[in-house]
């Protein structure tokens, strides 16, 4: 019996554990933190051994392969031991692909826009009458859904961390929204490593498959040309194998395509128009009728924490863009603002270069409010911008500071540029606390 060790006992890890047990594997789950009670119950129900609070190297290194959850970095001591022993390290999508026997996949990645695009594609596919599952980096674990039974289509949001440990996985339809600096702390602060990781979305594709991408992206067209020329592709991380690019049908799109295709949407901003075009191309490639696609795009209301309108109070609009965990996402949000803006920045910095948004901050912002455990870098970058700044260390304090400085006709925008883990459980918790505090004003 083949043995798999699953590192991480959350949604992804628990799902893989259940699927592996269903497929006849000997399974061991290990989490250096605490496993939620609901996942413990599932593991116990299926007689799966698990541990929390530490990693038992002996049990893990006795496995034939390791499935690691996306949050486990390659620098973790247990992963270093696994790599030294030469054990294969895979991600959830890689493992699950072995057991997708009849369904097809639409896979979406990108530094920004992937969640909105993935959700929209899922909505369109459901309307088309197919059986469809939503998974990957969003919704339920893909593995958990495979335990329940197969679907016609799997719509998957894939992060760079998941793609790093995909080798034989293949997307029938791959969508790459954009590549901008993000998570560089996980890629040795080398942009090319991160680019290589994102481009793995098209590995193993065949001429029967589709690769959809934004033609005006700074990096993607160049990377496609590198592949055409046969230039060597660097490995994205030490534990990943070389990406194997195929020759799918290339479907580039531009900003002009939204109008050319006759699309309509309730969402605002050029980035959301790109999301709509990408969803149109993906679902049309999947065989969905044009009228169904266009109607779904027109009626789509958007996704929580992504330029989500919260409320207007005293003439001030409050917008929750907690998902903006990098500088480019904040840039996109600022570009969409049409009123004087009080911008909330801060959290766990990921090697951000705030000079990228400085012109927009000076042009569009009335004030900047810092929200983080340590706002030193933000002060260094923005104190000389000629705008009022405020220093806060809780959401309630932050919203109160925004209310003091904002005027009727302004927008208060939570678009932090940073990860949330210094003060919040995750970016959803940050957004939910923002909405709660705003509604309490």
């Amino acid at each position: 019996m083949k043995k798999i060790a699953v590192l991480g006992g959350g949604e992804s890890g628990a799902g893989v554990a259940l699927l592996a047990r269903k497929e006849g594997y000997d399974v061991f789950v290990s989490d250096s933190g605490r496993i939620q009670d609901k996942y413990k119950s599932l593991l116990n129900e299926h007689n799966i051994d698990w541990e929390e609070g530490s990693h038992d190297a002996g049990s893990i290194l006795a496995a034939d392969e390791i499935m690691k959850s996306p949050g486990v970095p390659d620098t973790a001591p247990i992963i270093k031991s696994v790599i030294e022993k030469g054990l294969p390290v895979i991600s959830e999508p890689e493992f699950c692909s072995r057991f997708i026997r009849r369904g097809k996949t639409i896979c979406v990645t990108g530094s920004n826009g992937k969640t909105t695009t993935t959700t929209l594609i899922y909505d369109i596919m459901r309307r088309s009458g197919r059986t469809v599952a939503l998974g990957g980096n969003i919704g339920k674990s893909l593995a958990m859904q495979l335990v329940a039974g197969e679907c016609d289509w799997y719509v998957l949001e894939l992060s760079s961390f998941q793609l790093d440990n995909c080798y034989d996985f293949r997307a029938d339809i791959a969508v790459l929204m954009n590549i901008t600096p993000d998570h560089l702390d996980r890629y040795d602060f080398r942009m090319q490593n991160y680019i290589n990781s994102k481009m793995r979305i098209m590995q193993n594709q065949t001429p029967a498959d589709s690769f959809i991408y934004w033609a005006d992206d700074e990096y993607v067209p160049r990377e496609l040309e590198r592949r055409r020329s046969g230039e060597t592709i660097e490995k994205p991380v030490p534990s990943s194998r070389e990406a194997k690019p195929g020759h799918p049908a290339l479907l580039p799109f531009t900003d002009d395509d939204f109008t050319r295709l006759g699309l309509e949407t309730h969402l605002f901003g050029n980035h959301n128009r790109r999301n709509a075009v990408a969803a149109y191309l993906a679902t049309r490639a999947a065989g969905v009728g044009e009228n169904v696609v266009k109607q779904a795009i027109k009626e789509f209301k958007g996704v929580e924490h992504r330029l989500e309108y919260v409320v207007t109070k005293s003439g001030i609009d409050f917008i929750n863009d907690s998902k903006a965990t990098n500088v480019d996402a904040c840039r996109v949000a600022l570009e969409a603002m049409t009123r004087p803006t009080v911008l909330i920045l801060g959290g766990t910095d990921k090697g951000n270069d705030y000079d990228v948004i400085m012109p927009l901050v000076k042009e569009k912002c009335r004030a900047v409010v810092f929200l983080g455990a340590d706002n030193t870098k933000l002060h260094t970058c923005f104190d000389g911008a000629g705008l009022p700044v405020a220093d806060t260390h809780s959401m309630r304090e932050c919203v109160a500071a925004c209310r003091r400085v904002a005027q009727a006709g302004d927008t208060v925008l939570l678009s932090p540029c940073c990860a949330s883990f210094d003060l919040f459980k995750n970016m959803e918790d940050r957004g939910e606390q923002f909405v709660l505090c705003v509604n309490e004003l």
Side-chain angles (χ1 to χ4, degrees), residues 82-349:
V82 166
I83 293 171
E84 286 173 6
K85 189 175 179 184
L87 294 174
V89 180
I90 62 172
S91 64
E92 180 194 1
E94 174 71 9
F95 183 74
C96 290
S97 66
R98 302 169 186 175
F99 310 108
I100 300 177
R101 297 181 172 98
R102 68 172 177 86
K104 293 187 175 183
T105 57
I106 302 176
C107 302
V108 182
T109 195
S111 301
N112 300 298
K114 57 182 177 291
T115 299
T116 298
T117 305
T118 304
T119 306
L120 177 52
I121 290 172
Y122 173 66
D123 185 58
I124 296 169
M125 296 301 291
R126 281 197 307 168
R127 288 174 180 242
S128 73
R130 278 91 163 164
T131 59
V132 56
L134 177 68
N137 208 36
I138 183 176
K140 278 188 175 183
S141 157
L142 171 60
M144 204 82 78
Q145 296 184 77
L146 282 169
V147 170
E150 276 219 61
C151 294
D152 297 325
W153 284 90
Y154 297 90
V155 180
L156 308 177
E157 176 188 319
L158 299 182
S159 70
S160 57
F161 303 154
Q162 290 168 315
L163 289 168
D164 285 337
N165 295 107
C166 280
Y167 308 114
D168 297 319
F169 177 87
R170 172 180 140 258
D172 293 282
I173 299 171
V175 181
L176 177 49
M177 298 305 301
N178 46 57
I179 302 177
T180 61
D182 196 10
H183 301 300
L184 295 186
D185 53 329
R186 285 277 292 261
Y187 292 96
D188 298 326
F189 294 94
R190 293 187 61 206
M191 185 63 188
Q192 188 62 51
N193 287 350
Y194 178 62
I195 293 168
N196 294 341
S197 180
K198 285 298 186 187
M199 294 301 294
R200 292 172 72 88
I201 189 73
M202 68 180 300
Q203 69 182 358
N204 302 321
Q205 284 196 297
T206 72
D209 302 324
S210 300
F211 177 62
I212 296 161
Y213 65 97
W214 182 37
D216 294 326
D217 185 80
E218 180 178 355
Y219 301 103
V220 179
R222 185 190 73 193
E223 291 302 309
L224 287 173
E225 185 56 37
R226 289 181 71 202
R227 284 151 174 75
R228 290 191 191 97
S229 66
E231 185 177 336
T232 300
I233 304 165
E234 302 169 75
K235 295 180 182 180
V237 290
S239 65
S240 294
R241 305 176 198 170
E242 195 104 352
K244 302 187 289 291
H247 303 280
L250 300 180
L251 299 174
F253 64 90
T254 68
D255 289 355
D256 294 335
D257 288 333
F258 184 86
T259 301
R260 181 182 63 80
L261 293 169
L263 302 180
E264 299 178 65
T265 180
H266 289 294
L267 307 180
F268 62 92
N270 286 335
H271 64 294
N272 273 321
R273 293 186 173 190
R274 291 176 203 139
N275 297 341
V277 173
Y280 173 92
L281 292 174
T283 51
R284 292 288 287 138
V288 182
E290 184 169 22
N291 290 339
V292 173
V293 175
K294 287 186 173 181
Q295 189 63 29
I297 291 172
K298 183 177 180 180
E299 295 176 1
F300 185 64
K301 301 299 183 183
V303 180
E304 284 185 322
H305 312 301
R306 291 153 184 85
L307 283 175
E308 173 194 9
Y309 169 76
V310 179
V311 71
T312 299
K313 290 200 171 187
S314 302
I316 302 166
D317 289 346
F318 291 85
I319 304 294
N320 170 23
D321 193 36
S322 182
K323 178 61 171 63
T325 59
N326 59 63
V327 171
D328 194 64
C330 179
R331 176 189 61 78
V332 168
L334 284 172
E335 286 176 344
M337 295 298 104
T338 58
R339 295 153 49 114
T341 300
V342 177
L343 175 63
I344 302 170
L345 294 174
T348 304
D349 186 90

Side-chain angles (χ1 to χ4, degrees), residues 52-68:
E52 63 179 355
S54 64
H55 291 306
D56 177 21
S59 297
I60 293 168
L61 296 178
D64 297 300
E65 64 181 346
I66 312 297
M67 195 298 294
K68 77 177 182 72

